[in-house]
Amino acid sequence: MSGDESSPPQRPSLETLISRALRLRCPRCGRGKLFTGWFSMPERCSECQLKYERASGYFLGATYINYGLTAVSLTALYFVLHFGLDLSNRQLAGPLAGFCIVVPLLLFRYARALWLAIDCHIDVSVLASDD
Ligand SMILES: [Zn+2]
């Protein structure tokens, strides 16, 4: 008797979880796809049945990741273009407004995947749960 059923769940390393997130794969098995379309997630992993959205509003935290990544990249881009290339604020307003619309859409899936990875890293019970 190995007693595997009572042993605590294996926690993948943070590097593994981040790698799976960047490949948009399930944090538990690394095989199932997190998305079936640009914005659509299946309820569960097709391989290990991990439930992705644990509760209503679960992915609200991904919004903060998305916002943070967008704000940091916007700030860096502004400094490079304004102070480095000497473009005026008037010249930058339109393109940077477009940046603020496009980049969050591009980051949407990665922000959710990273949120799920971070949650699995902090709360290993997520990986053991089947509901
Ligand atoms: Zn899985």
Side-chain angles (χ1 to χ4, degrees):
M1 305 252 318
S2 64
D4 285 343
E5 293 172 18
S6 62
S7 63
Q10 288 281 323
R11 182 197 315 230
S13 69
L14 182 59
E15 292 79 17
T16 299
L17 288 169
I18 298 295
S19 169
R20 289 173 179 172
L22 294 177
R23 290 183 291 119
L24 302 175
R25 299 294 176 180
C26 170
R28 180 157 69 184
C29 69
R31 295 185 311 271
K33 292 181 178 179
L34 286 176
F35 290 88
T36 54
W38 196 268
F39 297 110
S40 58
M41 283 183 101
E43 183 180 330
R44 293 179 179 274
C45 173
S46 61
E47 303 294 321
C48 71
Q49 304 306 311
L50 174 69
K51 187 174 183 180
Y52 292 145
E53 188 167 4
R54 297 174 64 195
S56 179
Y58 174 72
F59 285 111
L60 180 63
T63 306
Y64 297 114
I65 292 174
N66 202 338
Y67 172 77
L69 291 172
T70 301
V72 167
S73 59
L74 175 71
T75 303
L77 185 62
Y78 175 78
F79 273 85
V80 168
L81 296 175
H82 185 68
F83 296 109
L85 299 179
D86 209 23
L87 296 174
S88 70
N89 287 338
R90 185 175 299 274
Q91 289 173 304
L92 292 173
L96 292 184
F99 181 90
C100 291
I101 293 170
V102 172
V103 168
L105 296 174
L106 296 175
L107 293 177
F108 174 83
R109 297 185 300 169
Y110 295 97
R112 280 191 168 206
L114 287 170
W115 175 253
L116 196 53
I118 291 167
D119 191 31
C120 290
H121 180 70
I122 293 171
D123 183 5
V124 71
S125 69
V126 175
L127 297 171
S129 174
D130 281 329
D131 42 73

